[in-house]
Amino acid sequence: MNFPDDLEKLKLKIENILDPIASAVEKGTKAEKDFLFTASRTDAGRSLPPYYLLYFLFVDLLGYKNLGQFEKVAWSVPIDYKGTAYLLEHRKLGMGLFASDKENQESDCREIVKKIAKAVKAAKPYFEWVANEAAKRSDLNVLNHSLRLHDRYTYFIDEYKKKIQEANSRKDEVIRTQYSENSWGVEIPYHGLKRESEWLAISAIDAFFSFTEHVFIHSAILKGVILTGEDVANLADNEWASKFKACLDIQDQEIKTHYDHLVSIKRQIRNYIAHGAFGKNGEAFQIHSGAGAVPLLMPHQKGGSRFSMQSGIEFNEEEAIKAVEGFMEFYWASNIFPEVIYIQSSMPSILPYASDSTYDRAMSSIQEMEGFVEYLTRMHDDAANMDW
């Protein structure tokens, strides 16, 4: 369908699907005294589609009257079904269909829910249009998963350190196994443990880049670099280096040093592994020559990099992890970047705040940001509890 030109056509289609459901306010449906406060949650209502789809369907598209917020109620839409009043309400305990006599009205409630489910399915093109239009503007939140991604990173870092410590503690250990009178084997645990520590280091590095890509997007919002949903999507599609530069100024020498080390790690370790250990620069090839098979990617091609991928996936994991942890200490754990205070709160990034100077004011100092986060967290908790 071509929106908004076809909105009326879609509304008519959905009204036919919902029939005889109608707006109780428009029909002037009579209800019992105190019905708004005494109606009971029906069992059928537990199968309703998500609350936001119902809100967009009945309030935004069809124009049903929303009675507004009450204690523990986010919104309330009275509907009529065969001359009887019902309530569609989003309450603290979830979306529901409410009736004055749930036991005797349960059968009708099941029919109401079936019709609503069909109407929601038919309204899918409208929901998609709403989403696409919203992405062009700033009236969006961007969910913040930073702490969960940080937990993944710290898990692999901790496991790597445990494994390398175990490997070093058993470096001189030799296990001899007698297979028969004339045969035996020798095992040096250090080699297997060292290999496993390298695997864990690669996982930690991958988790680090996943975590920082997410954090840098939120940082760019807080700094006003990106303002709309399309801006967020475009930055998300860009390389890690672009996200870093949207967050931090690489003209600063200390930041540039971190950036150079991390780009090197990403290019030679993370990207290499992510592309099936083939890489993008011929790392998986060997040249046929009089000297035998030699690496296509020769040492002189690597510039001044300190991280070697010359043989298979060998690399100096200790040095790479040190660079990663150095950046984390500089940025994430330093308490000198106001945006980090906000990101660590797990609050979503609210795009209108990026364009109306709200974030700009909060970013003026650590103290301002701490006060703003405290205020916003309190508002968020009140909204979650529907304490209006």
Side-chain angles (χ1 to χ4, degrees):
M1 303 186 79
N2 181 27
F3 294 117
D5 296 341
D6 290 337
L7 274 179
E8 291 303 319
K9 185 188 300 184
L10 180 64
K11 285 173 64 175
L12 181 61
K13 176 182 178 181
I14 290 173
E15 286 169 351
N16 289 333
I17 292 172
L18 289 173
D19 187 62
I21 297 172
S23 167
V25 174
E26 288 188 9
K27 290 197 70 173
T29 308
K30 299 297 182 181
E32 297 177 3
K33 184 180 179 181
D34 296 329
F35 172 66
L36 294 176
F37 307 102
T38 60
S40 301
R41 183 185 294 272
T42 63
D43 292 333
R46 302 183 192 281
S47 300
L48 283 167
Y51 70 90
Y52 47 87
L53 295 183
L54 298 187
Y55 184 89
F56 280 116
L57 176 68
F58 284 100
V59 180
D60 278 10
L61 179 60
L62 300 179
Y64 280 32
K65 176 68 175 180
N66 171 20
L67 301 181
Q69 298 174 340
F70 303 93
E71 184 66 20
K72 308 303 181 186
V73 177
W75 54 267
S76 177
V77 173
I79 62 172
D80 174 281
Y81 183 72
K82 297 181 179 178
T84 302
Y86 296 84
L87 287 174
L88 286 169
E89 285 190 344
H90 181 215
R91 297 184 178 181
K92 183 179 178 181
L93 296 180
M95 187 66 212
L97 175 63
F98 296 83
S100 58
D101 185 0
K102 60 172 292 186
E103 285 75 16
N104 294 319
Q105 294 175 278
E106 194 65 44
S107 177
D108 282 347
C109 288
R110 286 195 292 270
E111 290 302 313
I112 292 171
V113 170
K114 286 180 182 178
K115 286 181 173 291
I116 289 175
K118 290 180 181 178
V120 166
K121 185 176 181 181
K124 182 180 178 182
Y126 173 70
F127 300 144
E128 292 176 345
W129 176 72
V130 169
N132 289 329
E133 289 299 303
K136 298 174 185 178
R137 304 187 301 271
S138 295
D139 47 343
L140 294 168
N141 289 349
V142 180
L143 296 179
N144 182 357
H145 301 300
S146 301
L147 294 188
R148 180 165 57 84
L149 293 171
H150 182 260
D151 287 345
R152 175 173 173 254
Y153 158 75
T154 56
Y155 170 80
F156 283 119
I157 283 286
D158 291 344
E159 291 301 306
Y160 159 74
K161 290 180 178 178
K162 292 176 189 175
K163 189 66 69 173
I164 198 67
Q165 184 178 16
E166 182 184 0
N168 290 334
S169 69
R170 302 178 66 181
K171 198 166 189 177
D172 299 323
E173 182 181 343
V174 178
I175 300 175
R176 292 179 174 83
T177 304
Q178 186 82 34
Y179 297 125
S180 66
E181 184 178 349
N182 298 314
S183 65
W184 61 89
V186 174
E187 178 189 356
I188 302 176
Y190 170 79
H191 297 303
L193 293 168
K194 186 66 168 59
R195 182 175 64 251
E196 291 172 8
S197 74
E198 290 182 0
W199 295 342
L200 288 167
I202 291 171
S203 295
I205 290 167
D206 183 69
F208 165 80
F209 282 105
S210 176
F211 162 71
T212 49
E213 287 206 19
H214 188 80
V215 166
F216 292 159
I217 288 174
H218 284 283
S219 175
I221 295 170
L222 289 157
K223 293 185 174 186
V225 176
I226 52 180
L227 303 175
T228 69
E230 288 188 337
D231 291 341
V232 174
N234 290 336
L235 185 59
D237 287 340
N238 280 343
E239 294 290 328
W240 179 88
S242 297
K243 297 181 179 74
F244 186 106
K245 293 172 184 176
C247 171
L248 294 165
D249 181 11
I250 63 171
Q251 299 303 313
D252 180 286
Q253 189 54 52
E254 184 176 12
I255 293 173
K256 180 67 161 58
T257 300
H258 284 291
Y259 172 79
D260 289 342
H261 291 169
L262 294 173
V263 164
S264 180
I265 295 170
K266 187 179 186 301
R267 183 179 67 249
Q268 298 187 28
I269 298 174
R270 199 228 187 175
N271 285 358
Y272 180 81
I273 299 300
H275 290 87
F278 281 93
K280 293 183 177 180
N281 300 305
E283 294 95 335
F285 295 105
Q286 290 181 324
I287 301 170
H288 295 181
S289 74
V294 299
L296 176 63
L297 186 63
M298 295 184 181
H300 73 275
Q301 293 174 282
K302 300 179 184 300
S305 172
R306 302 181 300 161
F307 304 99
S308 174
M309 291 296 298
Q310 185 173 330
S311 176
I313 58 169
E314 293 177 7
F315 69 101
N316 186 334
E317 81 276 5
E318 182 179 354
E319 194 171 349
I321 293 296
K322 182 180 178 181
V324 164
E325 288 192 303
F327 176 76
M328 291 296 286
E329 184 177 349
F330 164 76
Y331 185 66
W332 186 252
S334 65
N335 201 38
I336 60 174
F337 294 95
E339 70 270 21
V340 173
I341 303 297
Y342 186 96
I343 296 168
Q344 289 179 349
S345 75
S346 291
M347 294 293 295
S349 290
I350 304 166
L351 290 181
Y353 287 172
S355 54
D356 70 3
S357 300
T358 300
Y359 281 151
D360 186 53
R361 290 191 295 271
M363 287 284 290
S364 62
S365 70
I366 292 293
Q367 292 73 26
E368 283 290 330
M369 183 59 80
E370 287 175 340
F372 178 67
V373 166
E374 182 180 352
Y375 160 76
L376 205 58
T377 300
R378 188 167 58 251
M379 285 185 58
H380 184 270
D381 290 343
D382 289 345
N385 290 322
M386 295 189 183
D387 292 332
W388 318 113

